[in-house]
Amino acid sequence: MATNETTFHLPDLGEGLAEATVLEWLVRPGERVERNGPLVEVETTKSAAEIPSPHTGVVARLHAEEGEAVAVGAPLVTFGVEEEAAGIVGTVPAEEAPKRRRVRLTPPEDEPGA
């Protein structure tokens, strides 16, 4: 698979907030991160939040230092990501015929002497 770089920008964290301050990076350049894995902790005027990684790949560059304010929509981190086949999100399980068991319930035979 080929590798492309893609940059993740600070998403809108809601309620009309214009920026967030980087509290702590949870990854370092050169480190592999999984999609939805912890990426960065940020703080807004409303609260602190952990932003998960939108990609699986290797962290190429961090675009802000801890303690730095980042505007919504500004570059946050650049990843080296593996190209995937277009339109394929996951794997489709192989079609298998259902396995049915017939269960016949028959009353127990009366035991002699009971």
Side-chain angles (χ1 to χ4, degrees):
M1 279 187 194
T3 302
N4 279 339
E5 280 196 350
T6 186
T7 300
F8 175 58
H9 297 82
L10 181 66
D12 181 357
L13 299 172
E15 300 187 28
L17 300 170
E19 66 180 21
T21 300
V22 174
L23 291 179
E24 180 182 4
W25 282 105
L26 305 173
V27 295
R28 301 283 174 245
E31 188 175 324
R32 184 167 176 80
V33 64
E34 295 297 318
R35 183 170 189 235
N36 294 324
L39 183 64
V40 63
E41 282 187 51
V42 297
E43 182 178 49
T44 67
T45 56
K46 305 271 183 184
S47 66
E50 185 176 286
I51 298 177
S53 175
H55 305 287
T56 295
V58 175
V59 176
R61 287 180 301 286
L62 304 177
H63 294 279
E65 299 292 325
E66 291 180 355
E68 185 178 338
V70 178
V72 169
L76 193 58
V77 61
T78 297
F79 297 94
V81 295
E82 295 175 351
E83 287 184 20
E84 296 180 16
I88 297 176
V89 176
T91 58
V92 177
E95 196 66 36
E96 292 181 18
K99 296 177 183 176
R100 294 186 179 173
R101 290 185 177 169
R102 289 191 174 178
V103 178
R104 295 181 188 224
L105 300 176
T106 56
E109 294 182 24
D110 290 334
E111 293 183 27

